[in-house]
Amino acid sequence: MSPYITDAAAWQESWDRQQEAYLPDREHRFEVMLDAVDAVRDTAPPRLLDLAGGTGTISLRALRRFPDAEVTLVDLDPALLALAAASLGDRATVVTADLGQPDWPATLPHQRYDAVLTATALHWLPAERLAALYAEIRDLLRPGGLLVNADHMPEDTLPELTGRLLARARERRAARHAAGAALSWSQWWDQAAQDPTLRPLVRQRHAIYPSGHSPEWNPPVSWHLGALSDAGFSEVGTLWRGGPDAAVVAVR
Ligand SMILES: C[S@@+](CC[C@H](N)C(=O)[O-])C[C@H]1O[C@@H](n2cnc3c(N)ncnc32)[C@H](O)[C@@H]1O
């Protein structure tokens, strides 16, 4: 049972501001993701899986665009899951599962989805595990259904420019943090730890992610396209690019 969070909307807003300081084009990538869902949907309400969905950012936007969608959100973080549950209520099924383990699909309410959507999350998994996860996701999709993964995925042919883009982005972010325009990742978590309802969940989170974050691994987009092809998808490609970030799409 989730704790009762009265101010979930305020936490959503501060999460969005915190994430946007790292990803200024965050909303655009979500829109492109939902355009892809729209392109493959049939007459039935779309069944969507928000993978490593955190506070429910993608689920909330998907439900705004497709009010009749059947949405499942999976994550491992107890604090973010509590915020997701408080914001989504009975409009989505919120599931606790570890994507680092191959048995995670058993926790889902359905074994067939029209689309699996994920953002800024799978770089927490090591290469071998992510390659296996891509195949597990394929098995959950109906034929013609799709996966979209938006994450840090540099363009292979632009190593020098990517470094420069990242350096500029760091400068702009530092200015926003210095001016108090947005909280940094660690400041956001410090703030959450001061909230009486979230505090015990943040403590549990520290036990799950002892370093505050799993290891980060950001291979170029070609790695993802190769791994998705190896996982047996029929069409794979880049759906969107924003500087050093991209969204790859894979159609079953
Ligand atoms: C930066 S957040 C992004 C959340 C959301 N997709 C968004 O765009 O706001 C990364 C998410 O990945 C989740 N995550 C990382 N490793 C995970 C794992 N092994 N199993 C499930 N979720 C995981 C974290 O708990 C966190 O919610």
Side-chain angles (χ1 to χ4, degrees):
M1 175 94 180
S2 302
Y4 186 63
I5 297 173
T6 47
D7 45 6
W11 282 108
Q12 288 293 346
E13 199 180 327
S14 80
W15 174 262
D16 285 344
R17 297 295 87 77
Q18 177 259 112
Q19 285 285 294
E20 278 164 9
Y22 296 92
L23 315 163
D25 43 21
R26 185 170 178 257
E27 291 299 333
H28 190 226
R29 61 188 78 185
F30 294 143
E31 223 174 282
V32 169
M33 234 176 217
L34 296 176
D35 285 344
V37 172
D38 194 35
V40 299
R41 67 191 293 229
D42 51 26
T43 49
R47 187 180 279 171
L48 308 176
L49 178 56
D50 180 0
L51 210 60
T55 61
T57 306
I58 294 174
S59 299
L60 289 164
R61 282 152 186 74
L63 284 162
R64 215 177 293 149
R65 177 110 173 232
F66 310 113
D68 59 353
E70 275 185 69
V71 175
T72 306
L73 178 148
V74 173
D75 204 281
L76 185 58
D77 186 308
L80 300 184
L81 281 163
L83 290 172
S87 302
L88 290 161
D90 59 7
R91 292 182 297 155
T93 307
V94 174
V95 171
T96 302
D98 182 359
L99 299 173
Q101 303 300 324
D103 59 357
W104 69 274
T107 62
L108 299 174
H110 313 287
Q111 292 301 310
R112 265 290 175 271
Y113 286 86
D114 296 299
V116 176
L117 307 173
T118 183
T120 334
L122 301 189
H123 65 266
W124 291 33
L125 299 173
E128 211 171 283
R129 179 64 205 129
L130 179 53
L133 180 67
Y134 278 156
E136 291 152 12
I137 292 169
R138 182 196 169 276
D139 289 346
L140 287 168
L141 286 167
R142 65 156 166 88
L146 54 78
L147 158 69
V148 185
N149 176 17
D151 210 338
H152 313 304
M153 297 181 189
E155 186 62 60
D156 309 58
T157 52
L158 296 172
E160 174 70 27
L161 182 60
T162 297
R164 286 171 183 267
L165 287 168
L166 286 169
R168 282 284 185 274
R170 267 195 298 274
E171 285 167 16
R172 282 196 294 271
R173 186 161 65 243
R176 289 185 67 71
H177 288 158
L183 298 176
S184 71
W185 174 262
S186 57
Q187 285 169 333
W188 193 88
W189 282 105
D190 289 347
Q191 194 126 316
Q194 284 168 35
D195 179 270
T197 312
L198 291 175
R199 185 179 303 132
L201 303 174
V202 174
R203 223 175 275 140
Q204 285 174 32
R205 163 180 209 276
H206 288 319
I208 295 168
Y209 302 125
S211 66
H213 218 272
S214 292
E216 291 201 38
W217 177 70
N218 299 307
V221 73
S222 60
W223 183 91
H224 290 275
L225 299 178
L228 289 164
S229 292
D230 292 348
F233 286 94
S234 66
E235 271 188 31
V236 306
T238 305
L239 184 67
W240 171 89
R241 172 163 289 290
D245 284 15
V248 289
V249 65
V251 182
R252 174 165 183 177

